[in-house]
């Protein structure tokens, strides 16, 4: 061999060594070479670190390890490390294991193998810090394989580094800026062939190799192009031909640079994480099933309490009616008023309980209108002060220029009253409740944290100086039926009702609390871009009387409700027509009869619900006023409480006075418009 050929060969070897040294120092895994020697504890009873990469200190937590002896570093645990690595040195068998490095508190996933020949007394160790991931991810297998034949005769350092790359169970690939492989370990080549059906080699173009598989080629090009452009990233994606095998891989990309810092390519360490992702999915399904089982258990526990409450209320209603009948048969009418008031009170309490249940399930029927919440504060604060008692001060902070929001004012007041009652219960020795309003903007990140759309929101917050709550309770506080109160003193529906109301109003609820420092609950409601709707306040008056010829069509499949509505309207002078189902009601509307107002239940038999009857009637009679009467299950039919102009909703159970006042207002508005 000539002198020139010798120099070229040596230069080529130096360049190869530098390239592998760069790859070695860029590795994410920690690596070291240890050399055994005889010590006071016997032959081969200690070792010294003769080489290590930059990642060693990051994973093991021990800096400047080269030159340090094991028993000087970690004397108390040295025997276990000597035993493991000594066996590797003696037998030549590689090992893979997990062990805690007690001196630094790190859990490590390690593999090691003997560096040949045995007379060197050297063992190579490759490892990762899996302290945070050791319960969720399988330890990486570290196996030795031979590198490509052309690197077998490289320098000793290059051969060691190449053996490490070839031996890992990670799929290692290095490519230049033209998508050609500069290096690929055996594991990566075999995996590529398994999922794509083609065996890659150093020097091949990955794009040319996949030219007959355009979809796979595009996917490979997209992910490698980012790394070759200088981006370092970690990504999980699925690769492979559908007719062979598709697997999920975690890819760690890094940029390959020369000694001048110029980009020359990119490299990747890839791990098959298919089983890990499947296990995570199975775990999520199990958690969801457990959560559902816990909810069902809570429902079962609550059923007895709800049944008890309703039985008490029904007993009050039925008993009042029975006593009214008895007194009337005896001619003792002076006691009737007392029993009548008792029965009506029980009915109102039953209605309030059903409304709380419906709000929790987000199936209550809302009547949203543009409202500036500050205008509700005066009456609300008076009610709150009467409710919480004199030992608790109630303060308000009303923001100037508060935006309107589209909300059901009555349900909002109920929600805020619930929050104030919870605040009162958190301050058994007295304290202060503050009700505060404000305008806020939520950008995309803040909105995503709250699970709502970005934009402008009106906030109303209730804070207290009570006992507060820990993080575990905060995470469950909006769960159905969850309560911290003793058994029998709380249903666990209060905050669930607030949460359900906010979500149904396209808003959100956030809670902030600290033990010993109180709690703040904020309701976010979307800003309404329009003017506030101020209702005309009319003086109290007797039931209104009908104008001449006004006719109301009543459609309800419940004869008792139909009778009560018609008797009430007839008492006020309205002419009434009735129908027991949707088709019968539509037939009346298709006739020439005069109909000024349609009152219909939403859930009707006969194939047509109340909303469908109303929509069909509007085609025939565009100006027809419609009053829906609804319970709970029909809310979706009404577009979740949001209905067209000229239509209103009256929720069961309703008072006769409310029905009469609503009918009069709707027909009076119709007459004014005409």
């Amino acid at each position: 061999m000539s002198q020139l050929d010798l120099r070229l060969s040596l230069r080529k070897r130096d360049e190869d060594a530098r390239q592998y040294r760069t790859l070695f120092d860029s590795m994410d895994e920690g690596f070291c070479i240890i050399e055994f020697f005889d010590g006071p504890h016997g032959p081969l009873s200690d070792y010294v670190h003769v080489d290590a990469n930059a990642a060693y200190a990051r994973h093991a937590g021990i800096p400047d390890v080269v030159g340090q002896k094991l028993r000087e570093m970690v004397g108390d645990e040295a025997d276990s490390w000597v035993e493991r690595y000594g066996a590797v040195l003696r037998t030549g068998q590689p090992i893979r294991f997990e062990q805690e490095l007690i001196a630094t508190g790190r859990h490590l996933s390690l593999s090691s193998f003997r560096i040949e020949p045995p007379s060197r007394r050297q063992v190579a160790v490759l490892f990762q810090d899996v302290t945070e991931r050791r319960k969720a991810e399988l330890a990486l297998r570290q196996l030795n394989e031979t590198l490509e034949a052309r690197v077998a005769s490289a320098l000793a350092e290059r051969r060691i580094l190449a053996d490490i790359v070839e031996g890992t169970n990670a799929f290692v690939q290095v490519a230049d800026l033209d998508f050609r492989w500069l290096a690929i370990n055996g594991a990566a080549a075999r995996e590529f062939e398994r999922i794509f059906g083609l065996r890659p080699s150093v020097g091949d173009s990955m794009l040319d190799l996949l030219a007959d598989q355009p979809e796979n080629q595009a996917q490979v090009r997209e992910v490698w192009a980012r790394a070759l452009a200088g981006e370092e990233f970690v990504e999980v994606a699925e690769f492979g031909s559908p007719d062979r095998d598709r697997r999920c891989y975690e890819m760690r990309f890094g940029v390959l640079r020369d000694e001048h810092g110029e980009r020359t390519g990119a490299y990747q360490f890839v791990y098959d994480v298919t089983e890990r992702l499947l296990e995570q999915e199975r775990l999520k399904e199990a958690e969801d099933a457990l959560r559902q089982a816990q909810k069902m258990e809570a429902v079962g526990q609550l059923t007895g309490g709800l049944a008890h409450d309703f039985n008490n209320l029904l007993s009050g209603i039925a008993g009042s009616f029975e006593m009214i009948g008895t007194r009337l048969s005896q001619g003792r009418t002076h006691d009737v008023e007392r029993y009548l008031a008792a029965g009506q009170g029980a009915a109102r309490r039953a209605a309030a309980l059903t409304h709380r249940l419906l709000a929790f399930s987000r199936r209550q029927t809302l009547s949203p209108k543009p409202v500036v919440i500050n205008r509700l504060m005066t009456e609300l604060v008076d009610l709150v002060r009467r409710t919480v008692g004199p030992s608790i001060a109630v303060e308000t902070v009303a923001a100037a220029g508060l935006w309107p929001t589209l909300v059901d004012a009555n349900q909002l007041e109920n929600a805020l009253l619930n929050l104030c009652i919870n605040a009162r219960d958190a301050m058994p020795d007295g304290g202060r409740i503050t009700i505060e309003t404000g305008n806020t903007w939520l950008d995309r990140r803040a909105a995503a944290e709250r699970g709502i759309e970005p934009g402008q929101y009106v906030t109303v917050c209730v804070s207290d100086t009570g006992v507060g709550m820990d993080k575990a309770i905060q995470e469950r506080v909006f769960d159905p039926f969850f309560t911290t109160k003793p058994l029998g003193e709380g249903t666990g529906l209060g905050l669930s009702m607030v949460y359900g109301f906010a979500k149904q109003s396209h808003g959100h609820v956030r809670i902030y609390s600290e033990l010993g420092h109180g709690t703040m609950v904020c309701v976010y409601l979307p800003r309404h871009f329009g003017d506030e709707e101020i209702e005309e306040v009319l003086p109290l008056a007797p039931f209104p009387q009908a104008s001449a010829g006004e006719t109301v069509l009543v459609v309800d499949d419940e004869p008792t409700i139909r009778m009560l509505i018609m008797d009430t309207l007839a008492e006020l002078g309205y002419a009434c027509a009735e129908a027991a189902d949707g088709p019968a009601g539509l037939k009346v509307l298709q006739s020439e009869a005069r109909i000024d107002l349609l009152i219909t239940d939403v859930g009707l038999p006969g194939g047509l619900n109340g909303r469908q009857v109303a929509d069909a009637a509007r085609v025939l009679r565009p100006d027809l006023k419609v009053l829906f009467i609804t319970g709970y299950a029909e809310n979706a039919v009404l577009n979740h409480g949001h209905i067209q102009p000229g239509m209103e909703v009256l929720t069961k159970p309703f008072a006769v006075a409310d029905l009469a006042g609503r009918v009069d207002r709707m027909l009076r508005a119709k007459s004014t418009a005409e």
Side-chain angles (χ1 to χ4, degrees), residues 455-529:
Q456 301 176 11
Y457 287 83
V458 176
T459 61
V460 54
C461 301
V462 176
S463 60
D464 63 61
T465 57
V467 295
M469 60 186 76
D470 59 29
K471 187 176 181 180
I473 293 179
Q474 292 180 52
E475 291 175 350
R476 299 188 59 196
V477 74
F478 294 117
D479 287 353
F481 315 120
F482 176 76
T483 179
T484 58
K485 298 176 183 176
L487 185 64
E489 294 186 17
T491 62
L493 291 177
L495 288 176
S496 293
M497 183 275 285
V498 176
Y499 184 84
F501 161 74
K503 284 297 185 182
Q504 194 176 358
S505 301
H506 307 291
H508 188 62
V509 182
R510 287 293 295 272
I511 186 166
Y512 312 87
S513 187
E514 186 177 347
L515 281 174
H517 292 82
T519 300
M520 173 184 287
V521 181
C522 289
V523 180
Y524 292 77
L525 298 169
R527 177 185 180 181
H528 174 70
F529 291 91

Side-chain angles (χ1 to χ4, degrees), residues 23 66 111 116 137 180 283 287 340 390 444 492 630 648:
L23 177 62
V66 174
S111 63
E116 303 298 342
E137 185 176 7
R180 293 188 180 277
L283 178 60
E287 290 175 345
L340 182 61
R444 189 173 301 278
T630 178
E648 296 193 17

Side-chain angles (χ1 to χ4, degrees), residues 347-363:
R348 284 192 295 271
R349 291 193 298 276
L353 182 55
T354 59
H355 276 280
R356 294 185 70 188
L357 290 167
L358 294 177
F360 140 68
S361 66
R362 305 184 208 171
R363 301 179 74 175

